[in-house]
Amino acid sequence: MSYLTEKTTTSLQVEKKDKPKIEHSHLDRLKVNEAKAKMKGRQNVPRHSAFLNKTLMTIFIFGEERTGKTAFIERFCKGKFSDNYSHSDKEEIQEKKCPFNCRFYDIKITIPNKNDVFLTSVNLEQIDFYLIFYDLNDVASFEGAQKIFKEDLKSKYEKHEDNLSNVILVGNKNDLERKVTDEMIEKVSSELNVGHFEISLKDNKGITKMIQQLIESFDNDVFKFQSDNKNH
């Protein structure tokens, strides 16, 4: 039974309405938390930092020419696509903020300088994922992706072999006729112990799903990437 009269209820509603409402935005809370951390001497926030509610995920991209490396950066980071990309041996770096599961992720994507394939100036422990691009309608590029893994990555980074478990073969151009079969992909993925995903940069398919799976694996600090050859 309610003991509030109609007059009392109305009065309470008026008081509630007249009371100024103080709202704190998500950004305000982040700034407050950051200030508190600095007061406690926590100047260096960990890379995997739920404390600031955002993380830095680092991706390095490899692959032969015309397999979609630069096109991936343009499509994912800038929302653009062109069939006429000029080849460049220079290092390319782009960053993009991605909201996922109520958190923000700073995704840093690097295509290394062709003359620095071995990443001599890079701390390998800071690389979260290696993506090796190839063309699904070009068997030679698929074989080239395997060569990059065996010769340019694994053989050079034996001391960091655990980190190289986060390697993913990315088959681009699944909007065209396939020449690399599912059987070939399954065999190589199993032999090399790497993940696999198919995308179409031209049709903008499979990209979001791939990034989301990368984030989930990164967020759990465990490589749980599920190969997916059905993104047509």
Side-chain angles (χ1 to χ4, degrees), residues 52-67:
L52 284 181
N53 204 35
K54 69 176 183 178
T55 53
L56 171 64
M57 188 172 81
T58 305
I59 299 174
F60 270 66
I61 297 180
F62 301 87
E64 296 189 332
E65 294 181 19
R66 304 196 64 80
T67 54

Side-chain angles (χ1 to χ4, degrees), residues 66 134-142 171-180:
R66 304 196 64 80
Y134 74 92
D135 188 336
L136 279 164
N137 66 348
D138 185 354
V139 175
S141 75
F142 183 57
N172 182 30
K173 304 182 184 180
N174 72 353
D175 53 290
L176 302 177
E177 181 183 356
R178 299 170 59 93
K179 294 184 179 178
V180 180

